[in-house]
Structure formats: structure tokens, C-alpha cells
Amino acid sequence: VERKRSEWLQRGMEIRKRVRMKNKDSVITAVQQQDYSASVWLRRRDKLEHSQQKCIVIFALVCCFAVLVALIFSAVDIWGEDEDGITEDNCSRNCRVVLVENIPEDISFLDNATSHLPLSAGLYSLLDKAIRAVEIVSPLWLLNSSDYESSFQPAARQGRALLSRLQGLKAKGVQLKISSGMIDSTELKILAKHYAEVHYVNMTALTKGNLHSSFWVVDRKHFYFGSASMDWRSLATRKELGVVVYDCSCLALDLHRVFSLYWGLQYKDFIPSFWSKRLFALYNRDEPLELTFNSTKAQAYISSSPDVFIPKDRSTDLEAISRVIQEARHFIYISITDYLPLLGSRTHRYWSRIDGLIREALILRKVRVRLLISFWEKTHPLTFNFIWSLRSLCMEQANCSLEAVNVLYQCLLMQRDGTVQGINHNRFMVTDRAIYLGELID
Ligand SMILES: *[C@@H]1O[C@H](CO)[C@@H](O)[C@H](O)[C@H]1NC(C)=O
Ligand SMILES: *[C@@H]1O[C@H](CO)[C@@H](O)[C@H](O)[C@H]1NC(C)=O
Ligand SMILES: *[C@@H]1O[C@H](CO)[C@@H](O)[C@H](O)[C@H]1NC(C)=O
Ligand SMILES: *[C@@H]1O[C@H](CO)[C@@H](O)[C@H](O)[C@H]1NC(C)=O
Ligand SMILES: *[C@@H]1O[C@H](CO)[C@@H](O)[C@H](O)[C@H]1NC(C)=O
Ligand SMILES: *[C@@H]1O[C@H](CO)[C@@H](O)[C@H](O)[C@H]1NC(C)=O
């Protein structure tokens, strides 16, 4: 192409030269050129018309196919599976809930501080209860720490212990189903050898993002939900918080639907425009599930994101977070890894949605806000600007209270070994009326 171009340029220059020298000659050249270009254009048009016809035929075929697929999707449950008789009409709403936590060994609280069930114990109890199927979604699978890592972090062995427990499910005749965004995990290969079914979700192709969800559903009856992923650090060096809920088939059924959505996306590189009816949410922000947690009446629903992954009736994370903040009357306590209301890693556009809601709560409703934020190697310097900005809003205002604390302990861990991420991985929000647990957008 380059050569052609320079040829043409040269020819053009020659023509211009000739124009200047002889007027007569130039007319002929011009006509010849016009002729040539006209014929080229005609030939092109011919081809275009031909390919347009082809296009129309292919388009019609694609349309037919799409309609067919849509019909099949709506009529048949593509992810049909054996029913175990529990439906949303006769599921259990009398749930037992246990908070589970991972607290790194280095952190010591006062002796009289409330302590919760360790995360590993909670997960083991779920595995003990499993009869039919354990379904797991996790962004990471890194349970087997290296010998080097376990040499200075004894708690890292818990990851290996959990891995061998998962392998042991086969002997109990329990099915292990895993949806994962991680393809090159040795752990998943080991588990797949031990009778686990692993479905790979290519989030790069689907949303250019990552799979951040992390939960377990056991027999569509019990579940775990929280910040920890299947990573030895979640059982050793990170601060994590989650809940294990027993005998709660109503909510477990709904969580199972989220699992089924990921499960069905195996090897897909596009997001289906029709979701099966079996993936529609059972409960949402406007129609939450009425249930009891340890005999206390409560309402609950499961939200999800991003928007393209949301079948009918499911609330988005942003909707859920907004409602929780807006309904708070007295206090909002938030624990997150990073507080950075910015979009885009380079452009840094201000993303005002949640930051704005917090400002409203502080200024207009005089709600007390406390932020617990990690201070770690990846803390963005702009974080401090946003915190200062929130703080200065409250200056000299009666009944306006913002407290922000950076969790510092991980620096100690960092010094020991740069590769160990000891961070406050917790993501939750507590208000006087609600709890939001899971993945705050980060
Ligand atoms: C729940 O209802 C379905 C039909 O709606 C029935 O097949 C199933 O046996 C019921 N399960 C229980 C545990 O009652
Ligand atoms: C709920 O009850 C169980 C025992 O039935 C208990 O272990 C658990 O701590 C209770 N949960 C809460 C949040 O109090
Ligand atoms: C815990 O113990 C410390 C000192 O032993 C005491 O000052 C504090 O009030 C106690 N906290 C609670 C919640 O009992
Ligand atoms: C975990 O890693 C260690 C060393 O890296 C290796 O010896 C061991 O076989 C691994 N365990 C499993 C279950 O793969
Ligand atoms: C995931 O999708 C991306 C983009 O379409 C592609 O480049 C990559 O090879 C896919 N990965 C796998 C494991 O299929
Ligand atoms: C601040 O709160 C106190 C107690 O809740 C109340 O009496 C007072 O009127 C409030 N002041 C303002 C300016 O809202």
C-alpha cells in the first residue's frame, strides 16, 4: 500500500508538472484518470450489491436462529437440573445465622471483646452438613500456600486443610460444583480430578472485568456469604467477615439462582439477551423475603452486579447500597478496603453516587458516619483527599459526625514479607436499620 501510495503521489506530481508545462496534455490525462476511477467505482458497486444480497440472506438466517433460540430458552429450562422438591412456596424461612470472621493471629483484641466463629470452622460445618451438592463461586482459588509461605505463616495450613476437605466430598458422595473466573488454578485442576465439576466463566470476554462474587450454597438449604475467597490468605492474613446461614432454603434458592447464572455462562463469550426463567430473582429491594434469623423477624434479599448480569427482578448492588444508606436515621458504619469514588484507572472521573449519598446523610439527615478503610500498599493517595473533603464538610456543623479510621496493622505484616497481603478485606455496612454484606464496589 505504501509503495502504491508513493507511486500515486509521484504520478500526481508529474501530472501537475505537465499541467504547468502544457495545457493540452493535461486535459487528456485528467480525462483518462476520470475514466479509470469511474470504472473502478462501477466495479466496486457491482461487488457491493452482490455482498449486500449475501448480507441480507445471512441476516435473515441469523434472525430466524435468534428467534428459535429465544423460543427454546423461554420454553425449556436450559439449565434444568434434578429438583429436590423445595420450591419458593414451601421453602424454609426460619433461619439460623452465625457470623464468621477471620482475624489474623497478629491482631490481639481485649480479652472481653466479642469473638465470632472462625471462618474455617464455619466452612467446615457447612461441609459436614452437605448431603447432595456444594456449589462454590470464588474469584480466586489459591488454597495451597507454598512451603515458603507456610513457613512463616502457620495459619496458611488452613488453606491446605480446606482443600483436602473439599477433595473428601467425593467419598461422601457429595457433588462439588464450582464456577470460577480463574482458569489456570492448580487447585481447580486437583479438584476436577476429584470429581468436582468446574465451569469457567470468561469475564474478560463478557464484561472486561473480573468475577468478584464469593459464596457457597449447600444443598440449596444452607449458605455462606462474605468477603473471603478460596485463598489461603483469607484464612490466615486477612481480616474477613461473612455469615453462615443454616436451614434457610428460601434465601438459598435465590442464591442458587445467582450460581446457576454463572454456571450457565461457561465458555460463553457473549451475554445472552434472554435469561431463563429459572434465573429470575425471587426477592428484591421492593419485595424482600420475610424471614426470621435466630427467631428475630427480618427482611432479606440478594443483589448482584454488573447490570448486564441481572435477570428480571434482581436488584443491583448499587440499588441495595443506596437504599441502605438512604434509610439510615442514626448511624452508618462502613468497612471497606478502599474508599475511592473514581472511575477509570487513568481518567479518574469522579463517581458521585455513593459519595453523594454519604454527604446527604451527613449534612441533610445528620447521620453519624464511620468509615473503616485499609491503609495498605495499594491505597491510592487520592483516598485521603476524599476523606478530608468529607471531614471538612462536617467542620463547625452541629450534630455532623464523620469518623474515618485507616486500619494500619497490615504494615507490620508487610515488613515481614512484601508478598503477604494482610489487609482489611471486610466489606460491609451497618446502619441502625440494615446490614449490607459483601462486595462494596471497589
Ligand atoms: C414442595 O412443593 C412441591 C410442589 O409445589 C412438592 O413437589 C414438594 O414435595 C414440596 N416439598 C416439601 C418438602 O414439602
Ligand atoms: C444464632 O443461634 C445460634 C445457635 O442456635 C448461635 O450459635 C448463633 O451465634 C446465633 N447468632 C447470632 C447472630 O446471635
Ligand atoms: C473490657 O475490659 C476493659 C479492661 O479490662 C474495660 O476497660 C472495658 O470497659 C471492657 N469492655 C467491655 C465491653 O466490657
Ligand atoms: C501444595 O503445594 C505443595 C508445595 O508447593 C505440594 O508439595 C503439595 O503437593 C500441594 N498440595 C496439593 C494438594 O496439591
Ligand atoms: C477469554 O476471552 C478473551 C477475549 O475474548 C480471549 O482472548 C481469551 O482467550 C478467553 N480465554 C479463555 C480461557 O478462553
Ligand atoms: C443536635 O442533637 C441534639 C440531641 O440529639 C439536639 O437536641 C439538638 O437540637 C441538635 N442540634 C441541631 C442543630 O440539630
Side-chain angles (χ1 to χ4, degrees):
V1 170
E2 201 57 42
R3 216 191 309 141
K4 275 262 167 71
R5 210 175 81 99
S6 61
E7 270 176 33
W8 273 99
L9 279 177
Q10 224 160 8
R11 224 182 279 177
M13 261 155 54
E14 274 169 25
I15 289 166
R16 257 176 268 148
K17 241 191 241 165
R18 265 187 254 161
V19 167
R20 260 181 264 132
M21 279 152 70
K22 280 188 207 164
N23 251 340
K24 248 190 200 168
D25 261 3
S26 74
V27 175
I28 294 165
T29 334
V31 167
Q32 270 174 352
Q33 271 196 341
Q34 262 176 11
D35 260 349
Y36 177 68
S37 61
S39 67
V40 167
W41 191 77
L42 274 176
R43 246 180 283 154
R44 280 244 182 94
R45 217 174 80 146
D46 224 351
K47 252 193 216 163
L48 260 177
E49 266 169 11
H50 210 79
S51 57
Q52 261 170 1
Q53 277 168 359
K54 246 192 224 166
C55 259
I56 289 167
V57 171
I58 291 174
F59 183 68
L61 277 177
V62 167
C63 279
C64 273
F65 186 66
V67 169
L68 208 74
V69 167
L71 283 175
I72 292 170
F73 269 51
S74 56
V76 184
D77 287 309
I78 38 163
W79 296 304
E81 46 201 22
D82 56 328
E83 276 300 323
D84 46 12
I86 305 171
T87 67
E88 55 267 39
D89 301 321
N90 56 14
C91 55
S92 154
R93 290 149 199 264
N94 297 325
C95 316
R96 206 154 48 82
V97 61
V98 178
L99 276 177
V100 289
E101 249 186 328
N102 187 61
I103 306 283
E105 280 174 350
D106 313 55
I107 304 183
S108 53
F109 290 112
L110 295 171
D111 291 340
N112 56 5
T114 41
S115 64
H116 297 290
L117 193 68
L119 174 63
S120 51
L123 294 179
Y124 291 166
S125 82
L126 277 180
L127 290 180
D128 290 341
K129 283 196 178 266
I131 298 167
R132 264 178 239 257
V134 176
E135 298 165 329
I136 303 180
V137 178
S138 168
L140 277 177
W141 279 89
L142 281 173
L143 284 173
N144 195 6
S145 54
S146 69
D147 291 336
Y148 170 64
E149 285 159 338
S150 8
S151 67
F152 61 81
Q153 264 304 335
R157 288 195 204 101
Q158 291 187 356
R160 289 189 189 180
L162 182 59
L163 187 61
S164 67
R165 286 276 194 122
L166 287 171
Q167 288 173 38
L169 286 177
K170 180 188 176 183
K172 281 172 64 186
V174 178
Q175 215 185 353
L176 177 58
K177 293 163 103 181
I178 296 168
S179 282
S180 165
M182 214 182 165
I183 196 160
D184 52 352
S185 152
T186 351
E187 281 81 349
L188 286 181
K189 279 177 198 141
I190 294 170
L191 288 174
K193 261 190 224 149
H194 285 80
Y195 169 74
E197 283 179 79
V198 180
H199 278 197
Y200 172 67
V201 186
N202 191 345
M203 291 297 281
T204 322
L206 294 172
T207 64
K208 301 197 166 51
N210 294 307
L211 191 70
H212 272 301
S213 305
S214 183
F215 61 84
W216 289 30
V217 181
V218 174
D219 296 338
R220 278 180 244 173
K221 226 169 147 188
H222 323 292
F223 61 88
Y224 157 77
F225 196 92
S227 59
S229 52
M230 293 297 103
D231 182 340
W232 66 267
R233 291 170 297 186
S234 285
L235 299 167
T237 62
R238 286 179 172 166
K239 235 164 124 267
E240 308 273 10
L241 181 85
V243 283
V244 173
V245 181
Y246 302 100
D247 301 312
C248 200
S249 46
C250 287
L251 213 47
L253 271 181
D254 207 19
L255 197 55
H256 168 73
R257 292 190 168 204
V258 181
F259 177 84
S260 301
L261 188 147
Y262 294 133
W263 186 251
L265 286 175
Q266 187 188 25
Y267 296 127
K268 282 211 168 56
D269 51 8
F270 61 93
I271 296 165
S273 35
F274 301 90
W275 299 104
S276 157
K277 260 196 267 178
R278 282 216 180 169
L279 302 178
F280 292 177
L282 296 174
Y283 315 101
N284 57 30
R285 191 171 77 153
D286 300 317
E287 287 170 40
L289 168 67
E290 306 272 345
L291 77 177
T292 62
F293 281 133
N294 279 21
S295 326
T296 305
K297 274 193 187 163
Q299 296 185 328
Y301 61 91
I302 290 158
S303 67
S304 147
S305 69
D307 291 356
V308 287
F309 270 21
I310 298 211
K312 198 163 161 268
D313 299 334
R314 174 89 50 215
S315 298
T316 66
D317 285 344
L318 188 58
E319 283 169 352
I321 293 168
S322 307
R323 166 107 14 139
V324 170
I325 296 181
Q326 280 166 343
E327 287 187 344
R329 289 287 164 269
H330 303 294
F331 65 84
I332 303 173
Y333 299 162
I334 299 173
S335 169
I336 34 168
T337 312
D338 297 303
Y339 185 79
L340 198 62
L342 293 177
L343 276 185
S345 52
R346 255 174 272 135
T347 48
H348 280 163
R349 277 170 296 129
Y350 173 51
W351 189 71
S352 62
R353 301 289 289 275
I354 294 175
D355 196 48
L357 290 171
I358 292 177
R359 280 160 202 265
E360 270 177 33
L362 271 173
I363 302 291
L364 301 181
R365 302 204 308 277
K366 307 285 181 196
V367 174
R368 189 152 50 103
V369 177
R370 284 178 168 178
L371 295 172
L372 190 63
I373 305 163
S374 271
F375 178 61
W376 60 312
E377 54 176 2
K378 288 192 185 151
T379 298
H380 197 287
L382 282 176
T383 301
F384 301 103
N385 296 22
F386 284 106
I387 302 297
W388 285 326
S389 140
L390 282 175
R391 269 208 187 120
S392 50
L393 265 184
C394 265
M395 258 175 218
E396 300 186 18
Q397 284 227 44
N399 294 356
C400 183
S401 162
L402 178 104
E403 295 165 68
V405 176
N406 289 100
V407 189
L408 277 162
Y409 75 87
Q410 57 278 4
C411 294
L412 304 173
L413 282 172
M414 286 298 170
Q415 277 170 0
R416 207 183 309 149
D417 183 288
T419 62
V420 176
Q421 287 179 2
I423 62 168
N424 176 37
H425 210 239
N426 289 349
R427 281 149 197 195
F428 64 91
M429 178 156 63
V430 185
T431 74
D432 45 303
R433 299 182 153 206
I435 297 171
Y436 175 90
L437 183 65
E439 307 268 321
L440 283 171
I441 294 158
D442 66 352

